[in-house]
Amino acid sequence: MTTSNGVRAAATPPTSLGGAFSDVVNAALGVVAAKVDDWSNKLDDVAAGGSTARPDAVEKVADDVAEGGDAKQQAGVRGVQAGIEGSNPVWAAVKGAWAGSSTPVKVAIVAAGVVVLVLSPVLLVVLLVTVPIVVVVSESRSAKK
């Protein structure tokens, strides 16, 4: 018996846990193989060149792959998509990582940016005061020798 997605279903229920696990794994692999074939066919159409819907096909495949992914997966997919479309893959990967990040991570990144912006003038003043002091002390020590 074959289901609508081409996966072969067991005619009788499995009698063991191993058989049930095997059926689940086979079904999952069948679904993944069907999706990969679909994406491959779409990318073949894009590679053929004559399609006017080229960016749409790449975007559709990228959206399918990135759907529900974490920051790393989003970054990778969006970087590859930008590379295929001829735009900057680094910036697209950064935007993809941001899109795939959770809210607490986004809040932490914004908070860190604010802290850096607030502290950078203070650190600059400390650096400008410390460097001349270190130079004067090192010169006075070398003069004593």
Side-chain angles (χ1 to χ4, degrees), residues 61-88:
V61 170
D63 289 344
D64 286 347
V65 172
E67 183 178 338
D70 62 352
K72 290 186 286 188
Q73 182 175 353
Q74 290 275 346
V77 169
R78 297 305 172 193
V80 170
Q81 177 186 3
I84 290 172
E85 293 175 347
S87 57
N88 186 345

Side-chain angles (χ1 to χ4, degrees), residues 49-66:
S51 174
T52 58
R54 180 177 160 212
D56 294 337
V58 172
E59 187 172 345
K60 172 108 175 67
V61 170
D63 289 344
D64 286 347
V65 172

Side-chain angles (χ1 to χ4, degrees), residues 14-36:
T15 57
S16 69
L17 185 59
F21 181 72
S22 176
D23 288 347
V24 169
V25 168
N26 287 335
L29 288 176
V31 170
V32 169
K35 268 296 199 192
V36 169

Side-chain angles (χ1 to χ4, degrees), residues 96-117:
W98 180 262
S101 298
S102 64
T103 302
V105 170
K106 290 178 182 178
V107 168
I109 291 171
V110 170
V114 168
V115 167
V116 166
L117 288 175

